[in-house]
Amino acid sequence: MMRTRPLKVALLGCGVVGSEVARIMTTHADDLAARIGAPVELAGVAVRRPSKLREGIPQELVTTDATALVKRGDIDVVVEVIGGIEPARTLITTAFEHGASVVSANKALLAQDGAALHAAAGQHGKDLYYEAAVAGAIPLIRPLRESLAGDKVNRVLGIVNGTTNFILDKMDSTGAGYQEALDEATALGYAEADPTADVEGFDAAAKAAILAGIAFHTRVRLDDVYREGMAEVTAADFASAKNMGCTIKLLAICERAEDGQSVTARVHPAMIPLSHPLASVRGAYNAVFVESDASGQLMFYGPGAGGAPTASAVLGDLVAVCRNRLSGTTGPGESAYTALPVSGMGEVVTRYHISLDVADKPGVLAQVATVFAEHGVSIDTVRQQGKDGEASLVVVTHRASDAALGGTVEALRKLDTVRGVASIMRVEGE
């Protein structure tokens, strides 16, 4: 039997995502009530500019006083889609203190202070859900937290930023340079006026921290994630990738060490074989590849951003939290029982593609090979092209640690026959 008294929802933020959340709550009200077991009512909307007209939202619900809204005491669920660290952090903890559970899409805050937020939720017996914080509409957080709770996840490898994937896909398919592809992404609305958070990997790094923490049951903060941007990726890199049967993606990679005693989390451009499922992810789409002991390999794919897709994830969490509210229970909180250390990038082991500008004369290849051998880095393939006294030497290694590769490159730069290191790129997904 359905409860007639509605569950009250406070919405913090009414931008692209927030307005879609409000719209779906209104247009799908009957369906949501049937799925939850009680109607849900939008009880207040906190915004910065109250004079702006918001279709479908009664003006009397609009307020600039977010703190007063979350302190009302009759709010069942607070939906936070304002982003950033403050005032979001204070508003969320205040919501817990005043009896509300929270649904958030705030990846930056969760990556930085997820442990403290989970502790606050647990202290007050409330829910903290955040499916929308990673990969938009793609169901990913809940499968990792719940569906795979009985399995051991060893690796999470994914494309978690649509802007960067659009740019790299455009460079791959058309031969465009980085700036040209970025300009097109901006014109089409895929990139912000200031694209730094996307192209420098900050957005993906926050998502990697969240994914690693859930997948490995350990605390991983944003500062633990190694990060490289993609502005240095060139058309020549794509040409080299194609020669290897690869393409280039900006990847978020979270791994459990082979001995199981530590984890790593990193974001950087990487070559990935065309045979790997992630290589076929085009445009602004996201996809995440999960490898675990029992279930093997799983792939989650779909739109990773946008108002309606992200709102879909928010509403899914809202339904779950409201159901918990009615039954007097809470869902899964933080699981950090393994307390594994997060290793630095120097301990990461993978393959490398190194392009060197060298003198075109006898003995150069032998010198380069000797340097690799002296640093314990095994060479898989070598390709050399030369003309007019200059040559390009492309070396692809077997698996080696980042620290060993770094020492190798430093020694190569000291060779008189090496004019410069044109590019270094990791090869993943094999």
Side-chain angles (χ1 to χ4, degrees), residues 178-402:
Y178 167 77
Q179 190 59 50
E180 181 183 353
L182 173 58
D183 290 344
E184 181 172 351
T186 304
L188 292 173
Y190 290 122
E192 301 287 344
D194 180 0
T196 302
D198 294 324
V199 300
E200 292 300 325
F202 291 102
D203 175 84
K207 296 169 181 176
I210 295 169
L211 290 175
I214 297 171
F216 306 133
H217 303 278
T218 198
R219 287 178 178 169
V220 180
R221 289 170 49 88
L222 180 58
D223 291 345
D224 296 321
V225 182
Y226 174 84
R227 178 192 54 79
E228 284 181 23
M230 50 175 276
E232 301 303 317
V233 177
T234 66
D237 291 325
F238 274 101
S240 293
K242 288 181 179 180
N243 285 332
M244 290 179 59
C246 293
T247 189
I248 299 172
K249 300 291 186 182
L250 186 78
L251 298 177
I253 305 169
C254 312
E255 292 179 308
R256 189 190 301 268
E258 291 184 4
D259 63 6
Q261 299 305 303
S262 64
V263 299
T264 58
R266 50 197 165 101
V267 169
H268 54 72
M271 294 183 179
I272 189 166
L274 295 175
S275 58
H276 194 282
L278 290 178
S280 62
V281 178
R282 311 302 297 269
Y285 275 73
N286 283 193
V288 177
F289 203 72
V290 178
E291 301 174 10
S292 64
D293 276 0
S295 58
Q297 298 178 331
L298 305 170
M299 182 164 154
F300 301 83
Y301 169 84
T310 306
S312 170
V314 170
L315 267 294
D317 278 351
L318 179 63
V319 169
V321 170
C322 286
R323 286 171 174 169
N324 291 344
R325 192 88 173 181
L326 289 178
S327 63
T329 63
T330 56
E334 182 188 35
S335 175
Y337 72 92
T338 64
L340 295 171
V342 183
S343 297
M345 189 63 187
E347 297 180 46
V348 168
V349 176
T350 189
R351 297 179 67 205
Y352 290 87
H353 175 283
I354 305 101
S355 180
L356 305 172
D357 295 326
V358 299
D360 186 15
K361 63 182 184 180
V364 173
L365 179 55
Q367 286 183 324
V368 169
T370 297
V371 169
F372 276 86
E374 289 174 346
H375 288 81
V377 179
S378 176
I379 294 175
D380 181 17
T381 62
V382 178
R383 186 175 72 253
Q384 184 173 4
Q385 293 179 322
K387 184 178 180 181
D388 299 330
E390 297 295 330
S392 173
L393 189 66
V394 175
V395 178
V396 180
T397 74
H398 288 290
R399 287 171 61 83
S401 71
D402 191 81

Side-chain angles (χ1 to χ4, degrees), residues 71-116:
K71 282 184 173 181
R72 275 177 38 172
D74 64 336
I75 300 296
D76 294 288
V77 185
V78 169
V79 174
E80 183 272 308
V81 288
I82 57 178
I85 306 302
E86 288 291 357
R89 174 170 48 199
T90 299
L91 290 170
I92 288 173
T93 55
T94 302
F96 292 142
E97 292 166 1
H98 287 78
S101 290
V102 173
V103 173
S104 176
N106 195 330
K107 55 187 171 288
L109 178 58
L110 288 159
Q112 179 172 306
D113 289 322

